[in-house]
Amino acid sequence: MSDGENIIKIDIDEEMRSAYIDYSMSVIVSRALPDVRDGLKPVHRRVLYGMQDLGVYSNRPYKKSARIVGDVLGKYHPHGDSSVYDTMVRMAQPWSLRYPMVDGQGNFGSVDGDSPAAMRYTESRLQKIAEELLADLDKETVDFSLNFDDSLEEPTVLPTKVPNLLVNGASGIAVGMATNMPPHNLSECVDGITAYIDNREIDVEGLMEFIKAPDFPTGGVIYGYEGVKEAFETGKGRVIMRGKAIIEEIREGKEAIIVTEIPYQVNKADMIKKTADLVNEGKIAGISDIRDESDRNGMRVVYELKRDSIPNVVLNKLFKYTALQSSFPVNNIALVKGRPEVLNLKDMIIHFVDHRHEVVVRRTKYELRKAEERAHILEGLIIASDNIDEVIKLIRASKSPDEAREKLIARFDLSEIQARAIVEMRLRQLTGLEQDKLRAEYEDLMLKIADLKDILANEDRRMSIIKEELAYIKDKYGDERRSKIEYSANEMRIEDLIPDKEVVITISHAGYIKRTPLDEYRVQSRGGVGAKGSATRDKDFLEHLFVATNHNWLLIFTEKGKCFWMRIFEVPEGAKNAKGRALQNLINIEQDDSIKAFINVQDIKDEDYIQDKYIVMATKKGVIKKTKLEAYSRPRTNGINAIGIREGDELLEAKLTNGSNEIMLALKSGKAIRFNEEKVRFMGRTASGVRGITLADDNDEVVGMIAVENEEANVLVVSSNGYGKRSEVSDYRITNRGGKGVKTINVTDKTGTLIAMKNVCDDDDLMIITRKGITIRMHIDALRVMGRATQGVKLISLRGGDEIAAVAKVYRDREEEDEVELDEDGNPIITDQINDSEEE
């Protein structure tokens, strides 16, 4: 160790901790995060202040960028020149900033990611709007601090009349945190800030009536509003952006997707290259050529399509797999009084208005002080002009200016400042005209002083001034919104990739489901032979069959009262004779639960449709419930509670109705009730329901529910010992809900208890399964229609104490078709394979 040296032992852990905290705070406060008041990071602020210092205003000639960078580096920003020049470049790029702050001349890069020219080749000056950020800087409106070497002062914040943080956003990565704030439309921001000034209690939702959504410099489409709403309310969210694309016929028989705007911060050249790679790899089909036809008139990217491709499907694949759709993760973190905070929309507006209020107060105080100082001098000059002969005589008699000042102070009771002004007064101010000007100026000043004092005493006036200045900014720089908002969708939908074709859904009694293109059922010419509809497992049969489109929804109800969703296109596809997949394996149903009902729904996102349709449910204990379909329009993977099931009860059936159907319920004891659906008020999703029918005793239970749209269909009832009959709906009189019902079958020891009620027509088949596994299938038209209270006829002969276990109405499955009817276009009409498109 050399002489004079001293080694101090320190704890390396403590030293590392304190050094890292110091470094991170320096990055957070002095580099990466913007100030909430002017929306600028220190480097942006220094560039603008340095340009003002150099006098490169919007109405002055351009200066070399290198000159500006050198000045900023030498005076205020002791970092690399690239940090300053890169900042200048970005502030000049109209695709990077919604309202550019620098007017650049030369090559400042491109939206394709091309690098700007070196700073020695480019020139810059301030944009007019940037001067509004610097306005009143010379009126002590903001605090100044010493620069890095204490030789100069620089502003800690700009007085900005423009809500820059909102209109231009910000992005930056600090230590342990980052900020990513989207740009907004200036006109909308001014309207929102004005609304806040008028009503300080306005909430974020109220502000969103004025500030609709972010407004990106590259335009495009904001796809879905949930992320925008979340970002405005919490300061964090995810805004989905899409390019603006149209489908054009470029020549006869040839269509193309034309993209004229792309999402914010997307590199156009990279997007085109990656799209071409996906086309070559076969991940995006239907595109024959990609061309970039952009020029000085605007952007134009052409995706030429193959003749057999569906334009909308290709476009949605581009949205899904390429940067034509991207997201902007909003993270509104800015420095508030030197500390980073997460800000919602209202927070940012509050801080801007507070800043502008402080600027107006400080500016007014400065102008008041200057006005009072000038008035003070004018008072002295007016005294001198009123006594001009005596003043001249006094000054001429003085040996020095100091003596003259002292004599004036003593004679006219003047201040040092007034006396100096009189001594330094020019001879031309002695003319009568100049004296009149002095008095006129003094009177104007006194009015101005009174006005300035009124401003300082009246907050409403100060707020009115802020609003006036904002209105001026809006009038001068405001423009139309560039980014269109699509409110309808909240996320990219997989159905946009799938053509909305008609399909046939088949569900077997054992719960096997499949989806088959309708074309497979359009078979054979006139007089042709039908084909086998489906191969099922032993003791299984097709119980449900209906026509739907790929974009329809399948609602599935279980005996525990839960509802699950499936899109029709999610149902596994299978050939007409395939067995299908077990439905239990496709949804998250509990082990001890079982599926009871299926409903095919057109669209749970269509407001008119879901408000006009109802789900009616019945339980075994006679409870009935009606709920609007709208309550089931928000799918969840694990299902939702569709009805509150009481202990010892379970869901039996669910039907889709139009609100004016008739409901029929049948009891095990042989009674049935018919009432108007209007008798059941609709209630919330988790409610238990109301009494639909009164049970005969504790052992009694509901065995069936049907929703009657017209009286043409018949009511079929079947008893446990194999008896059944078909009756007219009109045989059952309409009563109030909750009654005991009327006799629907004469229950005796011979017939056994009632086990099923179905609504049927002549084209249906009936499938009966016994507890011993015997099945019988019969045509409904083989059963004659008979009276309501009769015993019915024997449907199946049971032996050895066997009973009927299940009864199902199934579609007519004929091995050999009769004549196939043709429609007007010559296509076969599906009647035999597909006779029911409802949710039976």
Side-chain angles (χ1 to χ4, degrees), residues 114 127 131 189 256 327 372 397 415 429 447 495 503 544 600 646 673 681 712-713 726 743 762 791:
D114 298 319
Q127 289 275 11
E131 293 172 12
C189 289
S327 62
E372 287 176 337
S415 69
Q429 287 181 267
L447 291 172
E495 62 263 33
V503 292
H544 304 274
N600 176 38
R646 299 183 177 116
I673 192 170
R681 63 180 176 84
E712 291 179 8
R726 194 158 62 122
K743 188 180 288 184
D762 287 346
Q791 174 179 278

Side-chain angles (χ1 to χ4, degrees), residues 4 28 35 37 45 79 122 235 313 398 448 491 511 617 642 819:
I28 289 168
D35 192 294
R37 296 168 292 178
R45 196 176 298 118
H79 299 281
T122 63
V313 172
S398 301
K448 183 180 180 182
E491 57 182 12
M617 289 166 276
E819 255 187 20

Side-chain angles (χ1 to χ4, degrees), residues 826-837:
N827 297 317
I829 298 172
I830 311 303
T831 54
D832 295 302
Q833 293 98 329
I834 304 165
N835 53 52
D836 191 355
S837 63

